[in-house]
Amino acid sequence: MSSTRAAFQVVRAAAPRASFAPRITSTVSARNYAQAAPAPSQPQDVKPPIAVYGIDGTYATALYTAAAKTSALDSTSRALSALADVFKKDPKLPSILHAPTLTVSDKSKIVQELHKHIGGTDKGDTVKNFLDTLAENNRLGILEGVCEKFGVLMGASRGEVDLTITSASQLDNKYVKQLEGTISRSAYVGPGKKLKVKNKVNPDIMGGLIVEIGDQTIDKSVSSKVAKMNKMLTDTL
């Protein structure tokens, strides 16, 4: 049974009710995510490698901290990767998770269905407990973002730097490799870091490139140049 069909079966046809969105502090408690006690050799205060922002970033950071304290980072990463694949295969899933009419029973069944996709990779039920926490806090709708932000945290912990090259048309692999080599030797990438390269196609940029290295952006697109030219002409008229 696909996750969409399973989720649709639990969504009730009741009239919309006001959703309850509880307040959260800047640091979400991780105590509900991992039941096992931290291993004696693990430090009690685990600091994520980088900061990620937004509500999904807050929850991703809390999950990362909980998983690190219980030596479950690798298994948690595999579990969230499996969930991220579910979103890729199921475009209707985000709208289902955002539905304001979900009851407690609905959410419980959705969590069970999502957990089936994880298989046996969830060490100590860390991700299952995390999903339960999202459901209790009416935050299942941010799960896709959490998967993405957790992946960013894991990449940073492995010394990876995201490199996204946006072009108007698909770039030749040889050209992408040349760009990767040049950028890897630049000041944008620290020593010992590994680039994680992705080439995105966006015809709207008309030509040129937009290069995103970590949280920095170099916009050399034709659309950007046109926008600057239009602004200059507007300011002088």
Side-chain angles (χ1 to χ4, degrees):
M1 179 186 296
S2 74
S3 54
T4 296
R5 277 195 297 156
F8 265 127
Q9 288 177 359
V10 302
V11 176
R12 306 299 176 89
R17 298 183 296 276
S19 60
F20 171 68
R23 296 176 182 175
I24 60 172
T25 60
S26 59
T27 303
V28 179
S29 172
R31 61 186 173 81
N32 292 325
Y33 306 160
Q35 299 297 329
S41 60
Q42 285 288 339
Q44 295 297 308
D45 185 20
V46 178
K47 185 177 180 180
I50 59 172
V52 288
Y53 302 99
I55 296 176
D56 51 1
T58 301
Y59 276 86
T61 299
L63 178 58
Y64 180 94
T65 302
K69 287 182 176 180
T70 55
S71 303
L73 274 177
D74 288 341
S75 60
T76 300
S77 179
R78 289 193 296 271
L80 287 196
S81 293
L83 290 177
D85 288 340
V86 175
F87 282 99
K88 292 176 184 176
K89 297 173 184 175
D90 219 334
K92 295 180 181 178
L93 186 56
S95 61
I96 293 170
L97 297 183
H98 277 100
T101 55
L102 293 176
T103 67
V104 172
S105 176
D106 294 336
K107 294 171 190 174
S108 176
K109 291 175 182 177
I110 289 174
V111 167
Q112 291 175 18
E113 185 65 27
L114 289 172
H115 197 251
K116 289 178 183 178
H117 291 274
I118 297 173
T121 63
D122 188 13
K123 181 179 178 181
D125 280 345
T126 301
V127 177
K128 172 63 164 58
N129 294 329
F130 178 74
L131 292 174
D132 286 337
T133 300
L134 288 182
E136 291 168 9
N137 292 347
N138 283 336
R139 296 293 188 186
L140 281 173
I142 68 169
L143 178 57
E144 186 175 17
V146 171
C147 293
E148 179 183 348
K149 298 287 176 68
F150 191 89
V152 171
L153 289 170
M154 287 300 297
S157 72
R158 292 189 289 260
E160 295 175 352
V161 177
D162 285 329
L163 169 61
T164 302
I165 305 168
T166 303
S167 53
S169 59
Q170 190 69 42
L171 295 176
D172 179 82
N173 285 338
K174 183 178 179 180
Y175 183 62
V176 172
K177 286 292 183 184
Q178 289 176 342
L179 277 174
E180 180 182 355
T182 300
I183 293 170
S184 65
R185 295 187 295 271
S186 72
Y188 291 104
V189 182
K193 301 292 185 180
K194 297 174 291 184
L195 285 175
K196 189 176 178 183
V197 186
K198 184 196 312 182
N199 180 201
K200 290 169 59 178
V201 175
N202 180 5
D204 291 342
I205 73 171
M206 298 189 287
L209 298 173
I210 299 175
V211 180
E212 298 170 82
I213 312 163
D215 59 356
Q216 301 182 70
T217 300
I218 304 170
D219 191 344
K220 295 297 182 181
S221 64
V222 172
S223 61
S224 174
K225 293 177 181 178
V226 170
K228 290 176 183 177
M229 180 66 73
N230 286 339
K231 184 177 186 306
M232 185 181 69
L233 291 172
T234 301
D235 291 344
T236 56
L237 293 178

